[in-house]
Amino acid sequence: MKPAGRLLIGIGVSPGVVVGPAVVVHLTLPEIPQRVVARKDLKGEATRLRAAVAAVRGYLETMRGRAARRAGPEEAKIFDAQILMLEDEEFLGGVEGLIRQNQLSAERAFEFKALEMRALWADNPRLRERVADLTGVHFRVLQHLLGQPADRVPEELGRQPAVVFTHELTPGLTVQFDRTEVMGYVAEEGTRTSHAAILAKSLGIPCVMGLVGCLEHIRSGMMVILDGSRGTVLLNPTPQEIEEAQAQERRRLELELELERAVAQPAVTLDGARITLRGNVDLPEELESAAQHGAEGVGLLRTEFLILGRSDLPTEDEQVLYYTRVGERFAGQPVVVRSYDLGGDKFPLNQGLEPEANPFLGWRALRVCLDRPEIFRGQIRALLRARARTNVHLMIPLVTQVEEVERTRELMAEETERLRREGLPVGADLPLGIMVETPAAVVMMDRLIELSDFVSVGTNDLTQYTLVVDRGNARLAERFSSFHPAVVRSLKAVVDAAGRAGKEAAVCGEMASEPAGAYLLLGLGYRVLSTSPPRLPMVRWLVRQVDLAQAKGTAEAALEARTTREVQEVLDAAVAQHLDPRALGVRPLPSPRSRTTLKG
Ligand code: PEP
Ligand code: MG
C-alpha cells in the first residue's frame, strides 16, 4: 500500500465506488489462558473440542447456504474447503493427541496445531493465499472454546451501511452481512484471487485488498471513498470528492449496460481493422460464458484442471472427449489448448516430490512435460485425435529454449506416426504455438518463430520474469506492471518478429483485458487478443472506438518512455483524448495470479 496523503492505494479486487463510514473489524486471536488439565478431565476436554468443531461447522454450513443463495453454487464451494479442514481426522486427531499426551487444554492444543498448519501454508506458494480461510476457521473454533462472541464484530456494524476494514478478510466475514449492512470491504492482506475477493466480486460488493498497514490510518466512523475498480481508499473526502465519486459510479453502471449491448457488435476499429477476440477458459463451466460473450474461439484453454485433485493422470480418451467438446462448441474457430502448466504458482504434479526452494524458477510447465514424456505424449495424442474433427491447436508454456520446441515437434511427429499405425483418426496438421512468457523467449524470438505456427504472449508471466516480481505477492503489487518499458519493448519485439515471419501473434495475459493495456497492444500491432470471458464485452467496446493510426502513435510514444510512470501517463493521456473517458474507470487489476490456482 502506498499512502499518498489521504489516498491509500492497494489492489482493486471487486469493482464499484462507495462512500460511507469505516468500521474496523479486528479478527484478533483471543488470549488463551495457561492451564494444565487434570488426567481425569482429559476426556471431557476432547469432547469440548469436538463440540466446538461441530458448532463452527454448523456456522460454516450456514455461510455456505448464504453464499449459494447470494453468489451462486460455485462460490458456495469455497466453504467446502473450510468445512473439510474441520473434518480432517488427521488434524483433529493431532489436536486430541496433544490434549492427551501433554495435558493441554482444548484451546491450547488446537491453537498449537492450527499455528503449525498456518506456517506450513504460508510457506507454500500454492496455499499462501488460502491462509485467510484457515484464519476464519482457526479464530472461530478458539472463540467457541473460550466462550467469546464470534469475530468481535463491532456494534456499529448493522446500524448503517459501512465500509469494513480488517486485516485479513475471511470468506465467512464476506458473506455474513448483506449490502444494507456492508457496502464495501478493505483488507490489509489478500490478492484478487483470495477466496474472499472472489466472493466479494460475485456478491457485487466493492473490495480493495493488499492495503498493507491501512489499519494504522483508519478509525471506525471515519468517512471514506472506496474505489474497488482502481483499488484506492480516500480518507475524509470533501463534499466535492464525494459528488465526483458518485458521478463516477453512475457512469460505471451505465457503461456496464452499454457493454452488455456491445456483445453482438463486430470488433472492428474506426479505421476498419478487424480484431479477433478470443476467450481464456480455465474450466469447462466457462465455455458457455465465453461463447455468450462473443468469443471467436478459445485463445487459451488451460488444462491444469484435468489433473487437479487427482493422484492419477487423465486418460487419453478423457482428454479427446474434452478437447473435441470444446472444439465443437466453437466450430471451425481456433481452440488453443495449452499443455499442462504445472508447478510454480499452479499445481505441482501430485506425486510427493521434494518441495523446491524456488518453484517459479523450478521444475514447472513445459519442463515437466518434456521430462515426463509419458504425460506429454498422452496430451499430444489426444490433441492429434481431436484435431481430426476440430480446429484445436497445441500451445506450450514457459518456453526458454529452441530445443524445447524441437523436442515437442519430434514428439508430435512420433505420435502422429504411432496413431496412424494404430489406425486411429489423426489430424496431422496440428498447429504448434509457443507462449512468450520469458525474457529468453523474447530475445530468441527470431529463432523460435521459425519453429512455431503462432505465438501468444502470456503477459502475466512475461511481466513477472522480466521484472523479477512475483505476480502473486501483494506487497509487490505496485511493482508488477505490464507497462514497464522493458515489457513494452519486449511486446514490440515479439509482434515485429512474428510479423516478419508472417505468423500470428496474440496476447492472452491479463494485459489484454484492461482498456489501456488493450489499447497499447493494438497500437503495438497485435490483432488477436484473448481475455477471460467477462472482459470480452469491454474489450470489444474499446476496439470499436480505436483509430489504429492514433493507437500506433501512442505506442511509439510509449516505446520512447523511460519509466513505467511515463508509459502510464502516455496511455492515460491517449485514452482520455481518443476514447470514451469511462474507459479510464476500468483500471488494471494488478498481480494476476493464475485463475486456475484459485480452485486449488
Ligand atoms: C500468462 O502468464 O500471462 C498466462 C496467460 O498464463 P497463466 O496466467 O496461466 O500463467
Ligand atoms: Mg503463464
Side-chain angles (χ1 to χ4, degrees), residues 280-294:
N280 292 350
V281 171
D282 291 13
L283 299 165
E285 299 90 274
E286 291 167 326
L287 279 178
E288 273 322 298
S289 165
Q292 277 158 19
H293 286 101

Side-chain angles (χ1 to χ4, degrees), residues 338 341 346 435 437 461 471:
R338 179 175 73 185
D341 193 7
K346 307 190 181 72
M435 283 191 85
E437 302 188 286
D461 276 317
R471 62 194 266 186

